[in-house]
Amino acid sequence: MNAPARSTTGVRAPGRAEITARTLRTDLWWRPPLLTTLGLAVFVVYATIRSFVRTAYWVDEYHYLTPFYSPCVSASCVPGSTHFGVWFGELPMWIPLAFLSLPFLLGFRLTCYYYRKAYYRSIWQSPTACAVAEPRAHYTGETRLPLILQNSHRYFFYVALVVSAINTYDAVLAFHGSTGGFGFGLGNVIITANVILLWAYTVSCHSCRHVTGGRLKHFSAHPVRYRLWTWVSRLNTRHMQLAWTTLGTLMLTDFYIMLVASGTISDLRFVN
Ligand code: FES
């Protein structure tokens, strides 16, 4: 029987060890990719459904707006939720009300260095794990379409900063009492915690690290940028944890607002 043709790249390339087994690992190497797939699937399904249903996304009494509908800038948004005004007419049901931010947030997360690692292993299978051969014979990394588009991450980062500022504005407006003036409830705690964590995730981005400390020859000549880079670098070591935590807090914030907006539960108020 003839030996299969060897490709010039990848694990079957000349010069690589000739091992026919896909891997010699005996541990549960498949478990982390599987858990990653399940975790990402839960978020994608939840976020997709919630972004399109157009119900229970605004609590008029306390001015709670879910992040999945921010900014809401069309005539289809319920009165009060248009914090930045009405820029567009009625939108068809297949366009999410937060269509201005969601594609950029999706792009930001999809091109994130951590998520790349996560879905390259779990979904793209390139490679599935250390010392586990990928199913494809050829490996081109991020040198060709579509993966070369990952280089756009730094631009998504700039838009993500704007969206984080919008979420912050929404969170400030949510300190609203039932009779006007200042009010404060459990919803505020959840919304504010989510915004703080979103900032932490955004600022811990590798692109932010480059923006603050990259392309410098001498840190000693740029003490402010060095200090910023030090802070960002410290946060950057927690980027994976922040990536997962913010997926959770986004769903939790939306879910809580959905329950209050639909009348399923009442907001726990500390100051009315
Ligand atoms: Fe993850 Fe930029 S590297 S958000």
Side-chain angles (χ1 to χ4, degrees):
M1 200 171 102
N2 292 336
R6 304 202 76 185
S7 84
T8 52
T9 60
V11 293
R12 306 280 174 230
R16 303 291 294 269
E18 293 195 41
I19 299 171
T20 49
R22 189 178 175 204
T23 183
L24 301 178
R25 286 179 66 170
T26 55
D27 62 335
L28 299 179
W29 56 267
W30 46 268
R31 195 159 64 182
L34 177 66
L35 293 177
T36 302
T37 304
L38 292 175
L40 293 178
V42 167
F43 181 80
V44 169
V45 170
Y46 180 89
T48 304
I49 292 173
R50 279 295 292 153
S51 298
F52 283 96
V53 291
R54 294 194 183 183
T55 56
Y57 59 87
W58 166 251
V59 180
D60 195 44
E61 200 175 7
Y62 307 125
H63 292 189
Y64 293 163
L65 176 65
T66 163
F68 290 143
Y69 284 76
S70 178
C72 219
V73 288
S74 74
S76 301
C77 302
V78 293
S81 65
T82 52
H83 292 162
F84 298 91
V86 177
W87 303 352
F88 304 95
E90 295 279 344
L91 296 178
M93 286 302 288
W94 52 270
I95 298 183
L97 295 186
F99 72 100
L100 277 187
S101 60
L102 291 182
F104 293 102
L105 291 179
L106 184 65
F108 185 50
R109 298 250 172 184
L110 270 182
T111 58
C112 163
Y113 288 31
Y114 166 66
Y115 285 112
R116 285 188 220 180
K117 172 189 157 189
Y119 67 75
Y120 282 179
R121 291 185 179 186
S122 60
I123 297 168
W124 204 264
Q125 303 272 299
S126 181
T128 315
C130 291
V132 178
E134 59 188 354
R136 279 167 230 88
H138 301 279
Y139 177 79
T140 54
E142 295 176 342
T143 59
R144 301 207 189 136
L145 279 173
L147 296 187
I148 198 169
L149 296 176
Q150 304 282 26
N151 289 305
S152 60
H153 184 64
R154 74 198 74 167
Y155 305 110
F156 285 118
F157 164 71
Y158 295 127
V159 182
L161 286 178
V162 175
V163 177
S164 293
I166 291 171
N167 292 150
T168 306
Y169 185 66
D170 293 340
V172 171
L173 290 187
F175 285 94
H176 185 274
S178 56
T179 55
F182 178 79
F184 172 51
L186 180 58
N188 295 97
V189 175
I190 294 173
I191 292 170
T192 305
N194 178 53
V195 166
I196 291 171
L197 286 163
L198 285 178
W199 272 112
Y201 168 70
T202 306
V203 171
S204 68
C205 169
H206 292 69
S207 291
C208 183
R209 195 161 172 264
H210 181 73
V211 166
T212 52
R215 302 169 70 102
L216 293 180
K217 282 205 168 65
H218 305 289
F219 272 136
S220 56
H222 303 273
V224 174
R225 288 187 64 184
Y226 174 67
R227 180 53 57 92
L228 288 173
W229 176 81
T230 310
W231 289 338
V232 170
S233 298
R234 207 170 292 154
L235 212 49
N236 180 263
T237 62
R238 298 276 178 270
H239 195 59
M240 179 185 81
Q241 290 86 340
L242 288 164
W244 282 107
T245 307
T246 47
L247 288 190
T249 58
L250 277 166
M251 287 194 290
L252 174 69
T253 306
D254 176 79
F255 191 64
Y256 184 82
I257 291 174
M258 180 181 74
L259 292 180
V260 176
S262 61
T264 309
I265 61 171
S266 302
D267 186 32
L268 176 62
R269 302 301 291 174
F270 307 121
V271 178
N272 255 326

